Amino acid sequence: MKGDKNENSELKDSPPDNGVQTSQYNSISPPASPVADEEPFSTYFEDKVPIPESENQIFSFRKLWAFTGPGFLMSIAYLDPGNIESDLQSGAKAGFKLLWVLLLATIIGLLLQRLAARLGVVTGMHLAEVCNRQYPTVPRIILWLMVELAIIGSDMQEVIGCAIALNLLSVGRIPLWAGVLITITDTFVFLFLDKYGLRKLEAFFGFLITVMAISFGYEYVLVKPDQGELLKGMFLPYCAGCEPVQLEQAVGIVGAVIMPHNIYLHSALVKSREIDRRNKKEVKEANKYYFIESTIALFISFLINVFVVAVFAQAFYAKTNIQVNEQCNATGSPHTDLFPLNNDTLEVDIYKGGVVLGCVFGPAALYIWAVGILAAGQSSTMTGTYSGQFVMEGFLNLRWSRFARVLLTRSVAIVPTLLVAIFQDVQHLTGMNDFLNVLQSMQLPFALIPILTFTSLTSIMDDFANGWVWKISGSVVILVVCAINMYFVVVYVTSLNSVLLYVLASLLSIAYLCFVVYLAWHCLIALGVSCLDFSSRGQLGLSRHTDIYLLNDMDTDSVVER
């Protein structure tokens, strides 16, 4: 094995026969083979799903079914409690006017997920592993820490979402901290379902998505939204009479839908199918079916999100606290004190949202809402745990036992979540969710920039590298998404009204922007801006590289010549 490594090193460091030199930008070094007595390096796919053969078929439902699974697990991040809360606030604050923003954000999310899936399919490695092999040590560690922060923020929302659902279902008998402990425990149990087969685990996630669709669909049918206004809000990109509150909510929708850790997750999940990466036809076919599957999965998640927006747009848009207070009093709700006797516009979160539904439409609406939130929180907590495992394994090259890896990745988020649950009251969690949304918004560049960088390099992607259309459109999309989310961060920070926090935010922003510029510099070189490749003036140069080597599979030492 040592001889193989030396040979690979020579291939990378010495000029090939055509006289063109290579560097870190145009070649991935294959990982060393695991020692024979170590546990196989796997998290989610110890047994890969075989793909049925089909002769001369442009499309096969059997093959689509074989590839179905990873896209639906990925789509759960579009349905987590943070997204549901963003949906209901969008409906309550802006009515149907921001549905087009939700549609646009979902389409942008699909395009970004396409890049993530292609990276995993073509290279046999997920994004964290590629980052580990391509970036120098210090940037790699910083990148890992930033992604971990995003996962912790998302995980806190998901676990607390489950705890809120349990609190609603138990009529307050299960406090927030107890709900957190229950969620953490049952997540461990559910995560080991893949021991009974990968397809069974994927079926379980499909069941949870179905529960969400039925629960929120029931609320939709119960409320009977105005279909004309709904279609107008979805396809007319305009927000008549919108004020800063509505514009901030529009920014919040984009931040809630496009989540950084989901890019890492999807690039790993697609490795669960048996694909011969030496066969260009199979790789192309896998990319096609994964894109179709992702489109279907995100379409379903979009419909569920629309259900939530429409319910609160129809029933609670422009309602005041005193109006809701009167309705809760009339029905004898024990939660009347949540809504003060004033004419301020109603503000809701996933807890108050369930209470309001119960006041207006009866207890059944509240309990069914809570079931939907529980399914959303439980499923997203599980996929969040997988994200944590993939990220830690990829960046740190962990080779621990499977249980130890799960325990570590869950423990990272347990402590802060429990502290919030113990010291924060269930009725006052909206501020925390705003902070966590800002935290995740700040981490977006650390997923979007690397995925565009690596999928644009022919040395990594070979014939499947991004063309100029994808490079330009991807750059524009990432720039717009990051700018929108930075605006969200600025709005949040300026609302804190503290000089000390302003100074601290300024110092952190300088360091943050420096690292983003560093990643963007590498990305621009990968996109073909050769004038930024300063090494080209010396011995190495990206602009003069000929791409010869491509990693075949993460579990082998071989380098396949193309």
Side-chain angles (χ1 to χ4, degrees):
M1 185 171 71
K2 183 176 180 181
D4 291 341
K5 288 182 180 178
N6 292 336
E7 181 181 345
N8 290 343
S9 177
E10 290 172 4
L11 288 172
K12 290 171 61 182
D13 297 335
S14 61
D17 293 340
N18 59 9
V20 181
Q21 296 167 322
T22 63
S23 77
Q24 64 168 321
Y25 299 108
N26 79 320
S27 176
I28 299 183
S29 303
S33 297
V35 180
D37 59 355
E38 289 189 31
E39 180 186 352
F41 187 59
S42 62
T43 301
Y44 161 75
F45 26 71
E46 292 180 359
D47 298 317
K48 295 191 177 183
V49 176
I51 307 301
E53 295 290 336
S54 59
E55 294 294 334
N56 301 320
Q57 280 188 307
I58 298 176
F59 180 80
S60 167
F61 282 104
R62 288 181 65 231
K63 283 196 172 183
L64 178 60
W65 177 248
F67 281 106
T68 296
F72 281 88
L73 269 68
M74 168 273 295
S75 72
I76 285 170
Y78 292 71
L79 295 168
D80 70 352
N83 273 284
I84 301 301
E85 182 160 314
S86 174
D87 292 337
L88 65 88
Q89 289 177 347
S90 171
K93 292 179 180 179
F96 299 99
K97 297 175 185 177
L98 297 179
L99 277 173
W100 64 274
V101 178
L102 176 62
L103 175 61
L104 183 61
T106 305
I107 292 173
I108 292 174
L110 173 63
L111 300 180
L112 295 172
Q113 299 299 157
R114 173 189 180 270
L115 296 181
R118 287 172 73 86
L119 181 71
V121 169
V122 173
T123 67
M125 296 196 303
H126 55 75
L127 181 56
E129 291 172 313
V130 178
C131 290
N132 185 41
R133 286 156 176 78
Q134 290 296 96
Y135 288 121
T137 303
V138 174
R140 184 170 69 238
I141 293 173
I142 296 173
L143 191 61
W144 167 62
L145 291 174
M146 294 298 100
V147 178
E148 285 293 346
L149 279 177
I151 292 173
I152 291 171
S154 175
D155 207 31
M156 287 179 69
Q157 287 180 312
E158 292 155 1
V159 172
I160 289 177
C162 283
I164 289 173
L166 291 171
N167 183 272
L168 288 172
L169 287 171
S170 66
V171 198
R173 292 186 180 89
I174 299 178
L176 199 61
W177 62 267
V180 168
L181 292 177
I182 292 171
T183 303
I184 291 169
T185 302
D186 62 30
T187 298
F188 271 108
V189 175
F190 291 141
L191 277 172
F192 285 93
L193 279 176
D194 63 349
K195 287 291 185 182
Y196 298 96
L198 177 59
R199 298 296 270 176
K200 289 184 175 65
L201 177 69
E202 292 174 346
F204 179 68
F205 279 101
F207 167 74
L208 292 176
I209 293 174
T210 303
V211 170
M212 284 183 264
I214 294 173
S215 299
F216 300 132
Y218 169 85
E219 310 285 0
Y220 182 86
V221 172
L222 184 68
V223 175
K224 299 176 183 176
D226 186 321
Q227 301 302 304
E229 288 297 314
L230 186 148
L231 293 174
K232 180 181 175 183
M234 189 179 299
F235 297 109
L236 185 62
Y238 183 66
C239 191
C242 283
E243 299 178 355
V245 172
Q246 285 77 29
L247 295 178
E248 289 174 18
Q249 186 59 44
V251 173
I253 291 173
V254 177
V257 168
I258 302 172
M259 305 180 74
H261 70 277
N262 210 32
I263 304 294
Y264 287 86
L265 174 68
H266 198 196
S267 66
L269 294 176
V270 296
K271 292 167 53 182
S272 59
R273 268 54 181 173
E274 286 184 0
I275 302 167
D276 183 1
R277 291 177 178 84
R278 294 166 296 185
N279 187 325
K280 182 178 177 181
K281 181 182 176 182
E282 283 195 28
V283 174
K284 185 177 181 180
E285 186 177 65
N287 285 329
K288 177 182 74 174
Y289 282 108
Y290 274 133
F291 182 67
I292 294 171
E293 184 232 6
S294 297
T295 303
I296 296 170
L298 288 188
F299 176 71
I300 293 172
S301 73
F302 173 71
L303 288 182
I304 295 173
N305 282 317
V306 168
F307 289 161
V308 178
V309 175
V311 165
F312 284 84
Q314 182 69 35
F316 306 112
Y317 174 51
K319 286 286 183 71
T320 62
N321 284 321
I322 194 168
Q323 289 175 313
V324 176
N325 185 290
E326 291 171 354
Q327 288 179 308
C328 287
N329 260 328
T331 56
S333 171
H335 305 289
T336 306
D337 58 327
L338 288 176
F339 311 103
L341 294 170
N342 59 44
N343 286 316
D344 293 345
T345 303
L346 174 68
E347 292 188 6
V348 286
D349 50 32
I350 55 176
Y351 179 77
K352 292 180 183 177
V355 171
V356 169
L357 287 172
C359 288
V360 178
F361 299 102
L366 184 153
Y367 294 127
I368 292 173
W369 168 263
V371 168
I373 296 297
L374 183 61
Q378 188 63 70
S379 57
S380 55
T381 299
M382 293 167 65
T383 54
T385 302
Y386 278 124
S387 298
Q389 290 183 72
F390 292 136
V391 166
M392 277 198 174
E393 291 167 0
F395 278 107
L396 305 182
N397 198 26
L398 291 181
R399 296 190 177 279
W400 297 358
S401 70
R402 188 169 182 277
F403 178 79
R405 295 196 305 265
V406 174
L407 182 62
L408 174 63
T409 51
R410 290 306 299 150
S411 299
V412 168
I414 285 174
V415 174
T417 306
L418 269 178
L419 289 176
V420 169
I422 292 170
F423 294 106
Q424 183 73 286
D425 190 70
V426 69
Q427 290 96 339
H428 304 93
L429 290 170
T430 304
M432 185 206 68
N433 276 319
D434 290 342
F435 171 76
L436 293 176
N437 284 333
V438 168
L439 180 67
Q440 292 177 82
S441 296
M442 292 185 67
Q443 313 312 317
L444 265 176
F446 307 126
L448 304 189
I449 295 176
I451 196 65
L452 181 62
T453 300
F454 299 132
T455 55
S456 297
L457 285 171
T458 53
S459 53
I460 294 176
M461 300 295 289
D462 198 50
D463 294 338
F464 299 96
N466 296 329
W468 280 109
V469 173
W470 268 97
K471 287 179 180 180
I472 295 172
S473 59
S475 300
V476 172
V477 165
I478 289 174
L479 184 64
V480 170
V481 169
C482 290
I484 288 173
N485 282 279
M486 288 306 100
Y487 171 79
F488 185 44
V489 171
V490 170
V491 168
Y492 178 81
V493 172
T494 53
S495 68
L496 297 176
N497 297 321
S498 171
V499 176
L500 179 62
L501 290 175
Y502 291 159
V503 173
L504 181 62
S506 299
L507 294 175
L508 292 175
S509 296
I510 293 172
Y512 173 85
L513 290 173
C514 286
F515 188 54
V516 171
V517 168
Y518 171 82
L519 295 178
W521 169 56
H522 281 263
C523 185
L524 288 170
I525 294 174
L527 294 175
V529 185
S530 56
C531 61
L532 296 178
D533 186 10
F534 303 120
S535 61
S536 64
R537 291 168 174 77
Q539 190 176 21
L540 300 175
L542 180 65
S543 59
R544 293 179 284 133
H545 299 326
T546 297
D547 306 315
I548 297 176
Y549 303 105
L550 177 69
L551 178 66
N552 177 42
D553 189 88
M554 67 170 287
D555 295 323
T556 66
D557 279 332
S558 61
V559 179
V560 179
E561 187 170 347
R562 293 275 177 174

